[in-house]
Amino acid sequence: MKDIIFDFEYLTPKTLKEALELLSKYDEGECKVIAGGQSLLVLMKHKLITPNYLIDIKGLSDLDYIKLDDKQGLKIGALTTHRAIETSPIIQKEFTVLSEMEQNVSSVETRNWGTIGGNVCHGDPGGDPTPVLIALNANLKLTSLKGERTIKAEDFTSNYYETALQHDELLTEIQVPNLAPNTGVKFTKFSQIAGDYANASAAVSITLDNKEICSDVRIALGSVAVAPMRAKKAEDILKGKKISDELLAEAGQIASEEASPTTDAEVSAEYKKELVKVLVRRVGKEALERAKKA
Ligand SMILES: Cc1cc2nc3c(=O)[nH]c(=O)nc-3n(C[C@H](O)[C@H](O)[C@H](O)COP(=O)(O)OP(=O)(O)OC[C@H]3O[C@@H](n4cnc5c(N)ncnc54)[C@H](O)[C@@H]3O)c2cc1C
């Protein structure tokens, strides 16, 4: 029988330090980190990447946690699985949108094994977590032997499967600030098959002043550009105003003009732009309702 995967050396560091030492020991291209393997193994089976060394970090239980602090907000270890986030009572109560988003990431089998860190680091423009993290104004903590740095989720992915991660760094933590009072956040994706990657997705966070005027808004889109993106011109339409259905429709129109999707095997670029129009209007309305009740 023909091999479906090439030979590589499988390394299982026991601590974060050991993992970082292995990463800095080998050149880029020579080694690769594996967490849940849900995205990486597909690339390896197709021989799109052929590392000599595979550094398995799934056993680093120190990076598997969900913590909420009154001052510092939510902290999620990079190795936390999609399923743990989906089912976390803390997240369901305080960051409902994260749990809702996870419910539609692939199947429960993939969610049981795949990690949020792996998803974000894969850098797929159609991944579900990153637009939500952008709407929540999250930061990502990156760690190497040289130390730690944080980067905004919105600055992390730069192009198809390209991120700000340096070869010797690991994503170790996702940091989500506590929601400001009167804030509502909502995410929706449109995909032709339930649980499949999105043809387009939108996450909207709205904060109201005195339950009426929009004092802050963040609109993030997935699958409609080379990387998850913020629709800043659409945000400007809503900021400082009392949000109406008409304004949300205008924001949807502007967001669809900001998006730069390409036609793929499933849907055309024009169709994706129409999806953005509808999703931003619809998700914006739901975020607004949540903000009014918050
Ligand atoms: C059938 C199927 C359907 C899917 N559908 C969806 C979907 O609808 N929506 C969606 O968002 N995703 C979907 N996915 C993708 C999947 O949910 C995630 O991408 C996957 O969970 C990645 O996490 P992982 O832990 O398996 O990462 P891996 O596959 O192990 O790694 C992915 C990449 O991230 C790097 N990496 C992993 N962890 C770290 C870290 N801590 N620091 C630095 N680099 C790291 C790896 O080197 C690799 O480059 C689907 C996957 C499958 C197989």
Side-chain angles (χ1 to χ4, degrees):
M1 201 173 95
K2 251 185 155 186
D3 285 340
I4 58 161
I5 214 154
F6 48 91
D7 282 342
F8 54 84
E9 199 169 323
Y10 180 66
L11 306 167
T12 53
K14 298 285 177 285
T15 62
L16 174 60
K17 185 164 175 281
E18 258 180 63
L20 294 173
E21 281 167 356
L22 286 169
L23 260 184
S24 64
K25 179 173 165 188
Y26 300 111
D27 289 339
E28 192 166 6
E30 207 182 5
C31 75
K32 197 76 190 155
V33 164
I34 184 166
Q38 298 300 299
S39 299
L40 187 73
L41 288 177
V42 178
L43 300 181
M44 287 175 63
K45 278 185 184 167
H46 288 286
K47 299 191 171 58
L48 292 169
I49 50 171
T50 54
N52 298 329
Y53 301 94
L54 208 54
I55 304 173
D56 186 349
I57 59 169
K58 193 79 166 45
L60 303 182
S61 52
D62 287 359
L63 297 184
D64 178 3
Y65 56 84
I66 294 168
K67 294 179 196 162
L68 183 63
D69 181 275
D70 282 354
K71 289 206 177 85
Q72 296 186 343
L74 179 70
K75 294 184 174 184
I76 306 176
L79 288 174
T80 309
T81 62
H82 296 294
R83 183 72 175 154
I85 295 168
E86 177 191 349
T87 57
S88 156
I90 293 175
I91 289 184
Q92 284 172 347
K93 182 163 178 277
E94 305 293 340
F95 291 90
T96 316
V97 66
L98 274 172
S99 171
E100 290 170 343
M101 171 276 291
E102 293 288 13
Q103 284 164 25
N104 292 305
V105 170
S106 188
S107 61
V108 77
E109 291 84 355
T110 298
R111 299 203 292 279
N112 266 330
W113 205 245
T115 65
I116 187 154
N119 188 299
V120 170
C121 290
H122 187 51
D124 192 315
D128 298 325
T130 302
V132 177
L133 295 174
I134 293 173
L136 290 170
N137 199 13
N139 284 308
L140 308 177
K141 185 164 94 180
L142 311 179
T143 307
S144 71
L145 287 180
K146 288 174 237 144
E148 291 173 349
R149 65 180 176 120
T150 54
I151 181 168
K152 285 186 167 299
E154 68 189 76
D155 296 330
F156 186 67
T157 321
S158 51
N159 209 329
Y160 290 102
Y161 311 104
E162 281 181 24
T163 70
L165 202 67
Q166 297 295 309
H167 167 64
D168 61 348
E169 285 178 322
L170 286 176
L171 169 62
T172 46
E173 186 175 82
I174 291 149
Q175 304 169 337
V176 187
N178 285 319
L179 297 184
N182 307 320
T183 297
V185 196
K186 182 76 186 167
F187 168 79
T188 295
K189 73 174 178 181
F190 180 91
S191 40
Q192 300 201 321
I193 302 165
D196 209 349
Y197 272 102
N199 302 119
S201 68
V204 179
S205 167
I206 292 175
T207 303
L208 296 177
D209 206 355
N210 296 326
K211 301 236 174 217
E212 202 165 66
I213 304 298
C214 171
S215 56
D216 198 15
V217 55
R218 296 174 69 87
I219 301 175
L221 307 174
S223 263
V224 292
V226 296
M229 59 171 278
R230 249 179 103 179
K232 292 188 181 175
K233 290 182 186 157
E235 292 172 3
D236 288 342
I237 299 292
L238 304 177
K239 217 173 280 174
K241 314 230 180 76
K242 183 173 177 184
I243 299 177
S244 60
D245 287 351
E246 291 71 29
L247 268 189
L248 284 170
E250 200 183 333
Q253 173 64 41
I254 300 290
S256 84
E257 288 163 20
E258 289 181 85
S260 50
T262 49
T263 296
D264 59 33
E266 283 185 355
V267 296
S268 67
E270 291 73 21
Y271 187 73
K272 289 185 195 176
K273 278 190 173 263
E274 281 303 309
L275 283 175
V276 171
K277 244 189 244 179
V278 175
L279 291 180
V280 167
R281 176 163 46 82
R282 193 180 294 164
V283 176
K285 189 163 182 164
E286 288 167 332
L288 179 65
E289 290 311 314
R290 284 189 167 175
K292 285 180 180 168
K293 289 184 195 144

